[in-house]
Every structure is written in C-alpha cells, then in structure tokens.
Amino acid sequence: MDPEWGTRAPPPSPARSRTGASASPEIIGNKTSVAMASSDVKPKSVSRAKKWSEEIENLYRFQQAGYRDEIEYKQVKQVSMVDRWPETGYVKKLQRRDNTFYYYNRQRECDDKEVHKVKIYAY
C-alpha cells in the first residue's frame, strides 16, 4: 500500500499546489498592488534648495535618514505624527528603513554648505 500511495499521492498534490499557488499570489498580489497604488504618492518634479529655511532644515533631516520628505516617511513607517522639538518645530527623531534611529538637535543642523544638497519635491 505504501508504494501505491507514493505513486498516487504525488500527481494530485502538485496539481493542487499549482492551482492553489497560482491563484493565491495573484489575488494577494492584486490586493497589494491596489493598496500600494492608492497610498503611494510620487513626486512630479524635483528642485534643489538655494538658501536655508525651516522647511529646508526639516527636508535635510528627512533626507539624511533616507526619505524624500515627511510624506514618504509617513507612508513607509505608517505613522501619523513625526516627533518634533516644541521650541523650534524641527524634526526631533526619525526611524531609518533599517529600524535604527536618528536623533537631531534643537538647533539648526543643515550648514550653509549643505543646503544645495537638499532636494525639494513637488507633488
């Protein structure tokens, strides 16, 4: 009976797994792609910063941590609020994609020589 079972069992199980495997990822894949498309906002244009401002300071901090801006950070990390210093409003703490944290000072961190590296994304 074992040899018979061994010869009978393999043909049905691959057919079932192929059917289940092909149908399941497509359904999951479609749901995922639809969910990603609705929450994934892409920038339309990019420009470089010319002079320092509070907005540029915060963009500098997001880009140091590996994100375009606050919008992308909130999408990736699924957070509604970003930790900010109450005195200045600058970003206080960001979690990188590898789950380590960047902590920032209350004062300005983006020197004048670094301002031209900051990208400003328009949506």
Side-chain angles (χ1 to χ4, degrees):
M1 214 176 217
D2 285 332
E4 264 188 340
W5 180 256
T7 57
R8 289 183 189 165
S13 63
R16 286 182 188 158
S17 66
R18 280 186 206 136
T19 307
S22 64
S24 181
E26 287 177 40
I27 293 170
I28 292 170
N30 288 340
K31 287 182 183 176
T32 304
S33 64
V34 170
M36 291 295 285
S38 64
S39 66
D40 190 23
V41 179
K42 302 272 185 188
K44 294 191 187 297
S45 66
V46 180
S47 61
R48 296 277 184 171
K50 302 291 184 219
K51 63 186 243 187
W52 185 89
S53 69
E54 291 182 2
E55 178 189 3
I56 300 302
E57 178 67 32
N58 282 327
L59 285 172
Y60 174 78
R61 295 174 186 217
F62 281 108
Q63 290 171 17
Q64 248 191 342
Y67 302 96
R68 286 189 305 254
D69 50 21
E70 187 172 355
I71 296 168
E72 184 184 33
Y73 180 76
K74 287 180 177 181
Q75 283 176 354
V76 172
K77 289 300 173 185
Q78 299 294 311
V79 295
S80 59
M81 297 278 296
V82 177
D83 290 338
R84 296 182 181 273
W85 288 106
E87 303 88 14
T88 59
Y90 299 151
V91 174
K92 182 178 184 178
K93 175 180 76 171
L94 293 174
Q95 187 175 10
R96 291 182 5 175
R97 292 175 192 262
D98 64 357
N99 293 327
T100 58
F101 286 89
Y102 271 7
Y103 295 91
Y104 299 99
N105 294 326
R106 287 180 178 91
Q107 296 86 14
R108 174 180 173 176
E109 290 195 7
C110 180
D111 295 330
D112 285 333
K113 64 182 180 182
E114 302 289 318
V115 169
H116 73 281
K117 297 178 183 177
V118 177
K119 296 178 182 177
I120 305 167
Y121 293 91
Y123 294 93

